[in-house]
Amino acid sequence: MKHRYSVLLFPLHVFFDFVCLNASFVGAYGWAFGNIDEIAQPPYQSLWIAFNVAWAAIILLTQPYVFPRQLFKAGPLMRKLLMLTSVHMAVIALFWMLFQNVFFSRTQLLITYLLFLITAGLFRLGGLLFLQEFRARGYNSRRFVVVGYGKLAQTITRFYDVHPEMGFRFQGYFDWSTPENAGQLAGDYTQLAAFVKREGIDCVYCCMPYIDNVQLKQIVDQSERLDFQIKLLVDFRGFLTKGASVEYHDFLPVLNLSTKDLDSFRVAFLKRSFDILFSAGVLVLGSPLYVLVGLITRFASKGPVLYEQERIGQHGKPFMIYKFRSMYVDAEKAGPSLSQGLLDNRITPWGRFMRQTRIDELPQFVNVLKGDMSVVGPRPERQFFIDKIVEIAPEYTDLLKVKPGITSIGQIRFGYAATIEEMVQRLRFDLLYPKRRSLMLDLWIIAQTLRVMAQGRGR
């Protein structure tokens, strides 16, 4: 009989949870009332029964003790415990509402759940450590083979080699013999069924790059007769990190590799909410500064206070960006050109100060409210320069998957770029953002930007 010890895990889990639940209930009663003499008398008799009935019903409905070995870890176990306890608390609260005329101690209930979380949590952690050590020593193990020899097949065997606590024991590769796999195989496809039966194989991993549908169907048919699991290995590396998802067309699963909808709802919602609140706060609280900077800009040199220019935003959509004018009028009448830094003679004296302190960027908070930009994101560029950058660094197009921002990692670490080569260098920093963006990273970048502004180190 395969895994004769595994069948004991479920009843043991159920048994110890009931022990922890009842011990916590009794202990909390003694803590709250000083003794347990009347715990089996009304009204706590009915509450005690309700505790056990509710837990049993939750177990039957949710079947919470079924964990694949790959997920049998502290994190999933504790999250499941918290979920079960929360549901149990809701059921008991409903029970309490039905008996509003009966007094139950809130202190006793609170202590019961605290004790239960502690004892059940310790039981899970202790059981996890014991079982991992038990399996690492070779007990309660599952034997597996890999069908289809190649790099992906070697990856799964290395994974279980470095995780002996999962209890998977590799028994060999199966594939048609070729010069490349000479000496590496335990047999070919015609020998697989006999090997599985003889060695008591529990699981067969099938590597999709190296096996066709005819051979896979034969293995599936054999699994029903020989009682072993089949797991498919598909090489999705490089796809799933770019927002791939699975769609179902009736019964047919389709892998969507499109990266257009990269944002998860949670990240997009939090980021947009933060952008609106932060920008509105800056515009309202900073209105005196806006007026002051506008007046100085107006009288420091001839020309408008604000400067508008077309930039390219998310998914290649153009928009008009707003800045306090830091250059003389008609500075680019000869054609598009990059700033040569603070020594650029097209920049006004006041403009140099604004660029050092980054206050020329302040009107872009209007762009943020309009939805064209975000507070944090890669710097938006003109199409003219994007075309030149892409010729050198095609990966620049990855930045168009997210909204451009007022400030970015590249702006902090590198600053303004005077040449296409420098823009490519700054790109190396900005490419870190789409993969790692989060609210905490945005707050860190904003804090670093404020530091640059205060020190006047913008360039």
Side-chain angles (χ1 to χ4, degrees):
M1 180 180 178
K2 294 183 179 181
H3 323 306
R4 58 186 182 276
Y5 301 117
S6 295
V7 297
L8 300 176
L9 295 179
F10 178 80
L12 283 174
H13 209 154
V14 173
F15 172 76
F16 278 106
D17 267 0
F18 272 104
V19 170
C20 293
L21 185 68
N22 286 276
S24 299
F25 187 90
V26 174
Y29 186 94
W31 191 320
F33 298 107
N35 61 76
I36 59 172
D37 297 340
E38 299 181 0
I39 190 172
Q41 303 298 321
Y44 273 90
Q45 178 190 54
S46 59
L47 181 62
W48 196 358
I49 294 173
F51 256 71
N52 285 274
V53 171
W55 192 259
I58 292 170
I59 290 174
L60 290 174
L61 291 174
T62 62
Q63 299 182 357
Y65 304 131
V66 180
F67 283 94
R69 294 192 178 205
Q70 294 81 359
L71 295 179
F72 196 66
K73 300 176 181 179
L77 285 172
M78 300 309 293
R79 284 194 294 270
K80 184 63 70 70
L81 174 62
L82 289 173
M83 184 273 290
L84 293 174
T85 305
S86 299
V87 174
H88 190 269
M89 292 174 67
V91 174
I92 294 302
L94 181 61
F95 173 82
W96 195 349
M97 290 176 61
L98 296 176
F99 295 88
Q100 293 183 359
N101 58 332
V102 179
F103 171 77
F104 294 120
S105 169
R106 290 183 175 84
T107 301
Q108 191 266 344
L109 289 173
L110 177 62
I111 294 175
T112 296
Y113 283 115
L114 288 175
L115 288 176
F116 176 67
L117 286 173
I118 293 171
T119 55
L122 289 175
F123 158 69
R124 281 162 170 76
L125 293 176
L128 172 65
L129 293 174
F130 169 79
L131 196 56
Q132 287 182 341
E133 180 63 23
F134 190 66
R135 287 170 174 169
R137 291 176 179 270
Y139 302 101
N140 189 230
S141 60
R142 294 192 176 183
R143 300 157 68 85
F144 76 98
V145 297
V146 181
V147 178
Y149 181 78
K151 290 184 178 180
L152 186 61
Q154 295 168 358
T155 299
I156 190 65
T157 57
R158 284 196 297 267
F159 173 79
Y160 285 126
D161 282 343
V162 299
H163 292 286
E165 73 280 1
M166 291 186 181
F168 279 79
R169 300 291 176 260
F170 175 60
Q171 302 300 309
Y173 297 108
F174 283 80
D175 203 342
W176 298 122
S177 180
T178 65
E180 289 75 18
N181 60 32
Q184 302 295 325
L185 303 181
D188 59 30
Y189 289 100
T190 62
Q191 300 169 311
L192 176 62
F195 186 90
V196 168
K197 184 177 181 179
R198 183 177 68 253
E199 301 296 331
I201 300 301
D202 303 290
C203 182
V204 175
Y205 280 90
C206 297
C207 296
M208 293 306 292
Y210 322 122
I211 182 173
D212 61 36
N213 289 338
V214 174
Q215 294 163 342
L216 180 59
K217 184 179 184 304
Q218 291 176 351
I219 296 173
V220 171
D221 293 338
Q222 293 168 355
S223 70
E224 298 175 357
R225 178 168 51 88
L226 298 175
D227 187 28
F228 61 85
Q229 289 184 330
I230 297 177
K231 297 186 179 182
L232 300 183
L233 281 173
V234 184
D235 196 355
F236 289 148
R237 293 170 295 182
F239 295 131
L240 295 184
T241 56
K242 296 183 179 180
S245 60
V246 177
E247 302 172 350
Y248 284 91
H249 298 183
D250 288 333
F251 63 88
L252 183 66
V254 177
L255 185 65
N256 178 14
L257 300 182
S258 172
T259 59
K260 182 176 181 181
D261 298 321
L262 247 177
D263 291 347
S264 69
F265 175 79
R266 181 179 63 85
V267 173
F269 178 79
L270 287 175
K271 187 170 179 62
R272 182 58 184 156
S273 300
F274 174 78
D275 284 345
I276 293 174
L277 293 174
F278 189 85
S279 300
V282 171
L283 290 170
V284 172
L285 298 177
S287 54
L289 177 62
Y290 277 79
V291 174
L292 178 62
V293 174
L295 289 173
I296 296 176
T297 303
R298 179 66 183 85
F299 292 108
S301 62
K302 294 181 179 180
V305 171
L306 294 178
Y307 173 72
E308 297 182 38
Q309 189 180 71
E310 184 181 271
R311 298 290 175 93
I312 302 301
Q314 189 177 25
H315 305 315
K317 181 181 178 181
F319 69 97
M320 299 302 296
I321 194 173
Y322 307 117
K323 300 176 67 175
F324 283 120
R325 181 178 56 82
S326 60
M327 289 187 174
Y328 293 105
V329 177
D330 297 329
E332 288 191 327
K333 60 182 179 181
S337 60
L338 293 169
S339 170
Q340 301 303 308
L342 298 178
L343 299 179
D344 193 326
N345 57 15
R346 297 175 302 166
I347 301 176
T348 67
W350 169 242
R352 289 189 177 89
F353 173 79
M354 287 197 295
R355 289 196 170 208
Q356 285 180 314
T357 56
R358 298 282 175 83
I359 61 176
D360 62 319
E361 312 277 358
L362 289 177
Q364 292 171 30
F365 284 104
V366 176
N367 289 114
V368 176
L369 284 181
K370 290 173 62 178
D372 295 326
M373 296 177 64
S374 179
V375 175
V376 176
R379 183 175 175 81
E381 297 293 347
R382 285 174 278 181
Q383 189 65 57
F384 176 84
F385 295 112
I386 290 177
D387 293 339
K388 292 185 176 297
I389 296 172
V390 170
E391 291 178 4
I392 303 173
E395 60 271 27
Y396 179 87
T397 55
D398 287 344
L399 299 185
L400 299 180
K401 297 171 185 174
V402 297
K403 284 185 180 180
I406 297 176
T407 187
S408 68
I409 300 176
Q411 284 291 89
I412 295 170
R413 299 299 190 194
F414 194 90
Y416 294 106
T419 64
I420 297 296
E421 288 70 24
E422 289 187 355
M423 295 176 81
V424 172
Q425 293 177 36
R426 186 176 63 195
L427 168 68
R428 307 305 178 193
F429 294 103
D430 283 337
L431 281 173
L432 299 173
Y433 183 74
K435 299 177 182 178
R436 304 180 183 179
R437 59 204 174 107
S438 65
L439 183 59
M440 292 304 298
L441 178 59
D442 283 8
L443 293 176
W444 179 85
I445 293 174
I446 291 171
Q448 296 301 311
T449 302
L450 292 175
R451 180 173 59 84
V452 171
M453 293 175 65
Q455 295 175 349
R457 295 195 296 105
R459 68 180 186 88

